[in-house]
Amino acid sequence: MINNNTKVWIFILVSSLALLVLGYQLGERLGLLIGFLFALFLNFFVFFYGESRVLAKLNAKRVRGQDAWGLIDKVEKMAAQLRMPTPAIYVTPHSSANAFCVGHSWKRGSLGFTAGLLQKLDERELEAVVAHQICHIRRLDTFAFSVSSTLANSVVGLGQFLDSFLPYKLQFFMPLLSPIGWLIIKGVVVEKTFFENDLMASELLENRNRLGEVLWRMEGLAQTHPLEVPPCTSHLFMVNPEGFEQKNLFLKSHPPIEVRLQKLMGYYPI
């Protein structure tokens, strides 16, 4: 079975070749050159802009030096256990409780935590969150997640841009292009990825119930206090950040929490 990262490389290769062929068909040599430049721009945008875009949109600040939450020690310890470089650590000012990870390589990943998460979770719960997110980086999930997010966001952003020229509250292009963004994400981000990462993180913690209880609590906090995130980025988060407030159901990516906990713990807490 083709893994997520192979799917991403195939998609990038096919899209680049499609731009070259389309350019040649429309303008022969000049069109081929334009198609090549578009393909070059697409790949540069995906690999060098996607990660920083998400961090900037969320107003994330890198943690350096003083660390009141002990994040640096926790991340360094688990990175050593997984035999990987220590990811960069960021904190966002949002009161919602959630965590996310981005990065195109397990050697250069970034972990993000909201201020609300750091305030609401105790040390043991926070350790479970760190384990869960760092496993995504070690498994290279963040590569597939970040690339699909950047591409899908570009498609949806184009729809928003085109709709801005239409009369007030009239939307035509967003409903048309949102399913394409959904297909890009769903083509890469499958539910199995979440289940496998939950299991790996629980093995790192040596306790499935501990991680399951944290997922259950975070899901409840996210539902009651959702977080507004950039389009096509909710799959970067540990639990669905938009909760019941999610407006575009096409872009829903997380499996139901009941299914995740059943897969992880064998039961759903009541």
Side-chain angles (χ1 to χ4, degrees), residues 99-141:
F100 64 94
C101 53
V102 292
H104 293 103
S105 167
W106 66 273
K107 294 183 178 180
R108 191 181 63 85
S110 301
L111 301 178
F113 307 88
T114 64
L117 178 83
L118 300 174
Q119 293 169 359
K120 293 180 176 72
L121 268 58
D122 62 32
E123 188 171 342
R124 281 175 55 81
E125 291 172 326
L126 186 56
E127 189 175 45
V129 173
V130 171
H132 188 274
Q133 295 305 97
I134 203 171
C135 282
H136 268 311
I137 295 177
R138 187 62 183 87
R139 283 167 36 85
L140 293 177
D141 292 337

Side-chain angles (χ1 to χ4, degrees), residues 56 69 77 105 137 217 232:
W69 312 283
K77 176 184 174 182
S105 167
I137 295 177
R217 185 181 180 197
C232 307

Side-chain angles (χ1 to χ4, degrees), residues 182-203:
W182 176 83
L183 287 173
I184 292 173
I185 292 175
K186 282 299 182 180
V188 175
V189 184
V190 295
E191 292 188 348
K192 184 181 177 182
T193 303
F194 291 95
F195 301 148
E196 291 178 345
N197 190 76
D198 291 346
L199 182 59
M200 180 178 176
S202 70
E203 291 173 349

Side-chain angles (χ1 to χ4, degrees), residues 113-175:
F113 307 88
T114 64
L117 178 83
L118 300 174
Q119 293 169 359
K120 293 180 176 72
L121 268 58
D122 62 32
E123 188 171 342
R124 281 175 55 81
E125 291 172 326
L126 186 56
E127 189 175 45
V129 173
V130 171
H132 188 274
Q133 295 305 97
I134 203 171
C135 282
H136 268 311
I137 295 177
R138 187 62 183 87
R139 283 167 36 85
L140 293 177
D141 292 337
T142 47
F143 172 68
F145 283 15
S146 297
V147 171
S148 61
S149 172
T150 304
L151 293 173
N153 184 265
S154 300
V155 172
V156 174
L158 176 62
Q160 292 175 329
F161 173 74
L162 294 174
D163 278 340
S164 67
F165 294 99
L166 299 179
Y168 182 65
K169 289 187 177 181
L170 178 62
Q171 289 192 337
F172 172 77
F173 293 101
M174 267 293 285

